[in-house]
Amino acid sequence: LQTRMQSLQPDPKAQYRSVYEALKKIVLTEGFWRPLRGINVTMLGAGPAHAMYFACYEKMKKSLSDTIQHGGNSHLANGIAGSVATLLHDAVMNPAEVVKQRMQMFNSPYKSVLACIRTVQKTEGFGAFYRSYTTQLTMNVPFQAIHFITYEFMQEQINPHREYNPRSHIVSGAIAGAVAAAATTPLDVCKTLLNTQENMALTSVNISGHLSGMVNAFKTVYQLGGISGYFRGVQARVIYQMPSTAIAWSVYEFFKYFLTKHKLEKRTSL
């Protein structure tokens, strides 16, 4: 939905006023499973990407907090650790995102994930999978910095003793995701344009060939939609991120608690 709603010059059959209308229209005209196209490639990349992401975050957060605030909770450490973890995460997820978004566009010519990968590789080269990598990082570094700082701040407020408390992890995760998503929507719109290389939109502003680079994407979005163009799909983005970050944090905190408890039990039994 987000990819469709961020389309700057959509096909008349793919124009939507709200998230609900978009979902209803896509299901009725293109089938029940259409909104889930490309999800398999995202799921394939998400496992290793998230494992590296949380492992790197936890290690860096601890090391930096010890240096900056002698073992205390440093918001600066949280922000830096989240930003560095993003570099690893996005290296895996960027190609998956390119494939997913191309498959989700209206009238997408790709029949399957493999067909999409082969065609993009053949016609645009390997670089096409990383064309939006710098934009992704430019977006995700502030996103993750805001996300982690907000999450840790919320935990300080509602779970000061940092115990395992599923409700607090869900609430903190959802709020952190919503704040970070809303703040970085303009960058996400630019990323979508770079990933999809929307032909109708690019032709209307006399751009032939491929659009590349963050600055060019920013200018093109403004030419096509003005200031409001930067906030296209903000609702869909916030709605998508809230459960996503809430689930990610609650699952992560559960396994962290489970593994720590298991380690302690092992030690005391020895």
Side-chain angles (χ1 to χ4, degrees), residues 256-270:
K256 189 176 157 185
Y257 165 75
F258 176 78
L259 294 169
T260 311
K261 193 179 168 215
H262 186 66
K263 250 187 198 173
L264 283 169
E265 280 172 0
K266 222 176 177 186
R267 262 187 219 156
T268 50
S269 64
L270 291 169

Side-chain angles (χ1 to χ4, degrees), residues 26-42:
I26 291 167
V27 169
L28 288 173
T29 58
E30 300 171 55
F32 182 76
W33 298 109
R34 192 64 176 88
L36 297 176
R37 270 203 93 186
I39 198 168
N40 49 351
V41 73
T42 308

Side-chain angles (χ1 to χ4, degrees), residues 96-258:
E97 186 77 1
V98 171
V99 174
K100 184 196 83 172
Q101 290 194 322
R102 292 208 182 207
M103 290 186 74
Q104 286 176 346
M105 289 300 284
F106 183 74
N107 274 344
S108 172
Y110 312 109
K111 297 280 181 285
S112 70
V113 168
L114 272 176
C116 181
I117 294 168
R118 281 198 200 110
T119 309
V120 172
Q121 164 73 36
K122 204 174 172 183
T123 57
E124 298 173 48
F126 181 74
F129 295 109
Y130 282 94
R131 196 178 280 130
S132 67
Y133 185 54
T134 49
T135 311
Q136 181 94 328
L137 288 177
T138 312
M139 180 186 77
N140 278 353
V141 165
F143 176 92
Q144 297 303 354
I146 295 165
H147 171 207
F148 282 107
I149 290 166
T150 308
Y151 179 81
E152 299 286 357
F153 172 78
M154 286 304 301
Q155 282 293 285
E156 274 181 355
Q157 306 309 306
I158 60 177
N159 186 16
H161 301 297
R162 301 311 296 261
E163 292 159 348
Y164 175 62
N165 181 334
R167 192 181 294 172
S168 86
H169 303 317
I170 289 167
V171 171
S172 299
I175 291 170
V179 171
T184 55
T185 298
L187 294 156
D188 195 46
V189 173
C190 295
K191 185 200 78 174
T192 298
L193 182 62
L194 286 170
N195 274 351
T196 57
Q197 297 290 317
E198 227 183 298
N199 287 330
M200 279 172 73
L202 297 180
T203 309
S204 71
V205 285
N206 300 319
I207 293 173
S208 55
H210 301 302
L211 180 73
S212 63
M214 183 66 171
V215 176
N216 290 336
F218 247 91
K219 282 181 192 165
T220 308
V221 170
Y222 185 75
Q223 278 176 282
L224 290 160
I227 296 293
S228 62
Y230 293 119
F231 289 92
R232 290 197 72 134
V234 66
Q235 264 181 308
R237 183 161 158 75
V238 168
I239 290 165
Y240 166 76
Q241 283 296 345
M242 282 180 82
S244 169
T245 45
I247 292 163
W249 277 110
S250 52
V251 169
Y252 169 67
E253 293 281 10
F254 167 74
F255 279 105
K256 189 176 157 185
Y257 165 75
F258 176 78

